[in-house]
Amino acid sequence: ANAVGEQATVPRPQASAAVTVSAASAAAAVWLAGAAVTLLWQGIRYSRTRRRLLASSVSTDAYAALVREMGANAAVRVVPGLESPMAMGVLCPVVLLPEGEVPDLAVRHELTHILRHDLGGKGLLFLACALYWFDPLVWTMARIAGEDMEAACDAQLVRDMTAAEKRAYGELL
């Protein structure tokens, strides 16, 4: 027992030289590294592809009336060696076309993607894949959502077509 006026000494914990990391901190670090690698990998891949396609492309005014008619804010360029038409770019959308004659319906399809903001939607899918890089179901969801965007674009495009136009569009696909 302590005498009056005496204070008990409480031992102080010694500082450990080793740093401990909690399981949650380690998991967060792994998740962040995976997200960063996925963003970087996908971003570099997209940037290289876009730069390569645009560098080899040539501007064309052949579809300027169609772009105006549809009210799209997009450039149209021809890319030698491109297999099929495609749209790229969220902020500065561009429709890329293969060399030769491209049916108006194919250009309309790509312009419809731009008008529907499908390119922004694909950007969001890209972010979801980066955030949930470890989950194969998210990657599958993104692939299926991309297919659904294609189907919705086709449905919107054919909505006001005649039966003959729908048949021609189906043959084009």
Side-chain angles (χ1 to χ4, degrees):
N2 290 343
V4 178
E6 286 184 32
Q7 293 182 346
T9 55
V10 178
R12 292 188 183 156
Q14 297 281 331
S16 172
V19 176
T20 58
V21 177
S22 71
S25 294
V30 169
W31 170 81
L32 186 59
V37 166
T38 303
L39 275 172
L40 190 63
W41 170 62
Q42 293 277 41
I44 288 171
R45 217 175 84 180
Y46 175 81
S47 295
R48 282 184 179 168
T49 301
R50 182 176 169 91
R51 195 173 330 125
R52 181 181 50 82
L53 289 172
L54 290 178
S56 64
S57 70
V58 186
S59 184
T60 180
D61 291 331
Y63 301 94
L66 183 58
V67 172
R68 276 192 307 277
E69 173 195 323
M70 291 186 68
N73 182 22
V76 179
R77 302 183 67 85
V78 175
V79 181
L82 190 66
E83 291 184 24
S84 64
M86 64 184 291
M88 289 186 95
V90 176
L91 300 177
C92 297
V94 60
V95 174
L96 302 173
L97 303 174
E99 290 178 301
E101 190 174 331
V102 177
D104 280 359
L105 285 174
V107 179
R108 282 184 184 278
H109 174 90
E110 299 307 327
L111 291 171
T112 301
H113 276 303
I114 291 168
L115 292 170
R116 289 172 36 83
H117 305 288
D118 287 346
L119 304 176
K122 288 198 176 216
L124 289 175
L125 292 172
F126 158 76
L127 285 176
C129 287
L131 293 175
Y132 295 95
W133 57 269
F134 53 88
D135 189 345
L137 292 177
V138 172
W139 290 87
T140 301
M141 176 272 313
R143 182 184 51 77
I144 292 169
E147 293 168 0
D148 287 348
M149 282 183 199
E150 286 297 326
C153 180
D154 291 335
Q156 182 174 338
L157 194 57
V158 301
R159 185 176 42 213
D160 297 325
M161 288 183 180
T162 65
E165 291 170 326
K166 288 178 183 178
R167 190 171 19 266
Y169 186 64
E171 288 171 6
L172 177 66
L173 295 175

